[in-house]
Amino acid sequence: MLRHYRARHGGDEESADTRENTPVPKQAVDEAVVNMIIKDCQPLSLVENEGFRELLKLIIPSYVLPSRKTIKALVSQRYEEEKEKTKKDLQSAVAVSLTADMWTSMNMEAYLAVTCHYVDKESHELHTTVLGVQHFPQKHTAENMATVKKSLMEEWGIAAKVRCLVTDAAANMISCARMLQIRHTICIAHTMNLIVRKSCDQVETLTEIRNKTRQIVTYFRSSTTAKEKFTQIQQQLGTPVHKLINEVPTRWNSTYHMFERMAEQKEAVWVSLASLKRDITPLTTEDCDTIEEMLMVLAPFDQATTELSEEKSLWVKGYSHAENGPR
């Protein structure tokens, strides 16, 4: 009867109990720790944290957590494995395109990032892989950029497969593509950013409203008293408890989102400023009407910027209409 019950009625429970009581191999736990560090961008010092060690000891008392040095070696090994796998995938690609950009870290150090994109010839799926994010202490000349990019292409074995290089409109990026003898295309999303930004800058009234809005947002984000009062007013008015958004000068849609949030929170902002009695110039009714009109005009540009900045959705959407081929 017991065998019948386990076989016909309690099989799943028995399997679950068996799995729970089965010791987990140390190698599997090591791999899980490495995966967590890589996927969550955790520092290697995580394995030295007292709380993390206590957690693992409670869950798996017999498990011995590797040292930081060992974890570093395991992460490096995983990198080499994934790199070889990616190289193999790139070898099967008929053609690839590259995107490149210069950016500056919080420590004011320059980096050159190069990303590779290709379509799998069997599954027709778009794949993206970062070839490198390299420290770039030298001058940002076209020659220096061309040297680094050429080195990366040779390292990954794609020098003969690159059909296009997509960058911003900087003169050194354009010259770099010319030196590498690769067709160059300016990023559409970047171009749209420049167009909208320059258009907005030419409207004097909008510039004044931007300055006033930025001053208000900065005040509420930097003052603890103002922040608490703002939250209190939001709750009293039944307004969504959202923080105000400040714009980033290099991205036009951050201005759009700043105005969008201000339009949502205008009543809470008005009441809060009146209660705080600070020398901050509030937005007028006319200013808010102008913001509403601006949001209506620029909404399609914001949507287009978001879609153009996505990696795969446009390809998937285009390829789903396969009667006429990809768009």
Side-chain angles (χ1 to χ4, degrees):
M1 289 177 64
L2 184 60
R3 285 197 300 271
H4 169 80
Y5 173 77
R6 287 175 177 172
R8 300 295 182 183
H9 307 288
D12 293 338
E13 294 179 6
E14 183 180 28
S15 299
D17 292 339
T18 302
R19 287 194 297 269
E20 289 177 2
N21 296 326
T22 301
V24 182
K26 183 180 186 306
Q27 183 179 356
V29 183
D30 289 346
E31 291 180 358
V33 172
V34 171
N35 287 339
M36 182 189 67
I37 289 175
I38 295 173
K39 291 181 178 180
D40 298 342
C41 295
Q42 294 294 326
L44 297 176
S45 59
L46 175 71
V47 297
E48 299 175 343
N49 292 348
E50 184 178 350
F52 182 64
R53 300 180 72 89
E54 290 177 353
L55 173 64
L56 285 181
K57 185 176 181 180
L58 176 64
I59 299 174
I60 315 174
S62 61
Y63 175 68
V64 179
L65 188 64
S67 66
R68 177 174 177 172
K69 183 178 180 180
T70 302
I71 288 294
K72 181 179 180 180
L74 292 174
V75 170
S76 298
Q77 179 183 341
R78 177 68 60 81
Y79 167 76
E80 294 298 333
E81 292 173 354
E82 293 297 326
K83 184 176 180 179
E84 289 304 315
K85 180 182 176 183
T86 303
K87 278 186 177 181
K88 185 177 179 180
D89 293 339
L90 286 173
Q91 293 307 311
S92 63
V94 177
V96 303
S97 64
L98 301 179
T99 52
D101 190 25
M102 294 292 303
W103 60 276
T104 306
S105 70
M106 295 179 63
N107 296 325
M108 301 305 293
E109 294 178 333
Y111 288 85
L112 175 63
V114 180
T115 307
C116 179
H117 314 268
Y118 64 97
V119 177
D120 186 273
K121 60 183 179 181
E122 295 182 0
S123 64
H124 303 294
E125 292 183 356
L126 176 64
H127 294 273
T128 297
T129 183
V130 178
L131 301 185
V133 181
Q134 296 195 358
H135 184 214
F136 205 89
Q138 57 267 49
K139 291 183 178 180
H140 299 178
T141 63
E143 293 82 0
N144 290 337
M145 290 182 180
T147 300
V148 174
K149 292 175 185 177
K150 183 178 180 180
S151 175
L152 282 173
M153 289 188 290
E154 291 174 349
E155 178 185 352
W156 290 86
I158 58 172
K161 298 183 178 184
V162 180
R163 299 293 181 266
C164 182
L165 174 63
V166 182
T167 70
D168 57 23
N172 53 357
M173 287 289 189
I174 298 174
S175 298
C176 172
R178 190 181 303 115
M179 291 179 181
L180 294 171
Q181 296 182 341
I182 301 175
R183 184 168 68 90
H184 178 263
T185 299
I186 298 175
C187 174
I188 300 175
H190 178 74
T191 302
M192 184 177 297
N193 178 73
L194 294 177
I195 292 172
V196 179
R197 171 62 67 193
K198 289 182 178 180
S199 299
C200 291
D201 289 343
Q202 292 177 5
V203 182
E204 185 176 347
T205 303
L206 190 57
T207 301
E208 295 175 358
I209 296 175
R210 279 175 55 196
N211 292 335
K212 290 169 65 175
T213 305
R214 194 164 52 240
Q215 184 182 22
I216 293 171
V217 173
T218 301
Y219 170 61
F220 279 103
R221 292 179 67 91
S222 60
S223 169
T224 303
T225 303
K227 198 178 301 182
E228 292 176 354
K229 172 61 70 173
F230 185 53
T231 301
Q232 179 185 350
I233 297 299
Q234 286 176 318
Q235 294 171 345
Q236 292 176 354
L237 296 177
T239 306
V241 183
H242 294 158
K243 294 181 179 179
L244 298 180
I245 299 174
N246 214 341
E247 67 174 350
V248 179
T250 56
R251 298 184 180 275
W252 84 266
N253 54 341
S254 66
T255 304
Y256 178 88
H257 296 149
M258 178 181 72
F259 281 145
E260 188 177 42
R261 182 58 55 82
M262 182 59 68
E264 176 194 83
Q265 299 290 335
K266 60 182 180 182
E267 293 184 6
V269 170
W270 279 338
V271 175
S272 299
L273 288 176
S275 303
L276 293 165
K277 299 179 180 179
R278 294 298 300 268
D279 188 21
I280 302 292
T281 305
L283 295 173
T284 64
T285 304
E286 291 75 15
D287 291 339
C288 292
D289 291 340
T290 301
I291 289 176
E292 294 285 354
E293 292 176 2
M294 187 275 291
L295 292 174
M296 291 178 60
V297 172
L298 295 182
F301 291 93
D302 178 63
Q303 181 181 357
T305 300
T306 301
E307 291 189 0
L308 287 169
S309 300
E310 294 176 352
E311 288 187 359
K312 296 185 178 181
S313 64
L314 287 179
W315 170 260
V316 173
K317 291 175 184 176
Y319 204 85
S320 64
H321 298 79
E323 296 85 355
N324 299 318
R327 294 178 182 173

